[in-house]
Amino acid sequence: MNARFGTGSTGDQTSLTVNGAVVLADASGALFWPDRGLLVVADLHLEKGTAFAGRGTLLPPYDTAATLARLEATCRRLAPRRVLCLGDSFHDQRAGARVSADDGRRLAALIQGHEWLWVVGNHDPAPPPDWGGRVVDDWVEGPLVFRHEAQDVTPAGEISGHYHPKASVPTRARRVGGRCFITDGHRLVLPAFGAYTGGLDVREAALRRLFPGAFNIVLLHRDRGYAFHSTHILGPDLANTGTY
């Protein structure tokens, strides 16, 4: 479903244009480029639960299974030719050894069913080699460049992750919050796809540095995507009122 920004419209997918490429912000948290058959996910952070448990913070050890289930469902529904993971796919360099045998088989089946690219991240400079797929520092395709962390000065068309953006928007009844995509039409940052990933508010300095003018978000809430202009988040005094 296409959505016009600023209307609060909703759908399973929201059409966005980044540097001339039409991509879809999927309610799962993945980005899909239909013309290229490319599915992009960021920050899976597989085995974050066991990493925390090893440091004495006990979390239910089901984050990898939950993340893989959503990724499997998204791949079945969108049938991509290529899957691109934008870094921090594993929570640390020893995460591969902690993945259960069942989850390992599920991940291997996903990788074998697609052309699979691992972009290196700060948590996983080299993802575990046993899973297959190709490891790249970044990936350039058409007018878009894909990397883990956005650069301060970058060519137009940058798609990245790393920051786990989230937002909250006031409604007539209450504020609604969740993970979000954020874009100004020149660059785009994906939400974290992993089950146990936190988030950085789009009003924080690190993201405002990347998007100093007007921007749009697709807020993910209860398996739907809601499109808003930055004025809905920052107010008219803090956000440029231009549109994209």
Side-chain angles (χ1 to χ4, degrees), residues 104-147:
R105 287 190 291 269
R106 295 169 67 188
L107 181 56
L110 276 170
I111 293 169
Q112 291 168 10
H114 306 84
E115 180 183 351
W116 201 276
L117 297 169
W118 303 107
V119 172
V120 298
N122 56 294
H123 280 255
D124 53 0
D130 297 341
W131 307 113
R134 177 181 171 192
V135 178
V136 296
D137 291 326
D138 53 33
W139 182 258
V140 178
E141 187 159 339
L144 302 180
V145 55
F146 300 87
R147 58 172 54 97

Side-chain angles (χ1 to χ4, degrees), residues 14 44 53-54 67 70 76 97 103 119 125 128 143 152 174 178 207:
T14 302
L44 302 178
T67 300
R70 187 163 69 251
R76 284 195 301 269
D103 288 340
V119 172
D152 287 340
R174 59 188 175 90
L207 283 169

Side-chain angles (χ1 to χ4, degrees), residues 76-234:
R76 284 195 301 269
R77 178 165 47 86
L78 299 178
R81 294 190 299 273
R82 177 182 296 145
V83 176
L84 179 61
C85 297
L86 283 185
D88 287 1
S89 301
F90 296 85
H91 190 66
D92 57 63
Q93 294 186 58
R94 295 181 296 278
R98 301 196 303 273
V99 173
S100 71
D102 182 56
D103 288 340
R105 287 190 291 269
R106 295 169 67 188
L107 181 56
L110 276 170
I111 293 169
Q112 291 168 10
H114 306 84
E115 180 183 351
W116 201 276
L117 297 169
W118 303 107
V119 172
V120 298
N122 56 294
H123 280 255
D124 53 0
D130 297 341
W131 307 113
R134 177 181 171 192
V135 178
V136 296
D137 291 326
D138 53 33
W139 182 258
V140 178
E141 187 159 339
L144 302 180
V145 55
F146 300 87
R147 58 172 54 97
H148 175 60
E149 184 175 356
Q151 297 180 352
D152 287 340
V153 178
T154 185
E158 181 189 71
I159 308 290
S160 63
H162 180 67
Y163 287 101
H164 306 192
K166 66 177 183 180
S168 62
V169 177
T171 68
R172 284 173 294 193
R174 59 188 175 90
R175 295 191 72 89
V176 175
R179 301 174 297 145
C180 70
F181 297 82
I182 177 171
T183 183
D184 59 5
H186 303 292
R187 72 187 338 158
L188 181 148
V189 178
L190 274 74
F193 198 86
Y196 281 179
T197 48
L200 181 68
D201 194 287
V202 297
R203 296 170 295 183
E204 293 292 333
L207 283 169
R208 293 295 288 136
R209 185 186 75 247
L210 298 176
F211 299 96
F215 58 85
N216 300 305
I217 70 164
V218 178
L219 177 69
L220 305 180
H221 182 71
R222 295 182 179 177
D223 299 321
R224 304 288 281 175
Y226 298 81
F228 294 98
H229 189 267
S230 53
T231 51
H232 288 260
I233 305 158
L234 304 176

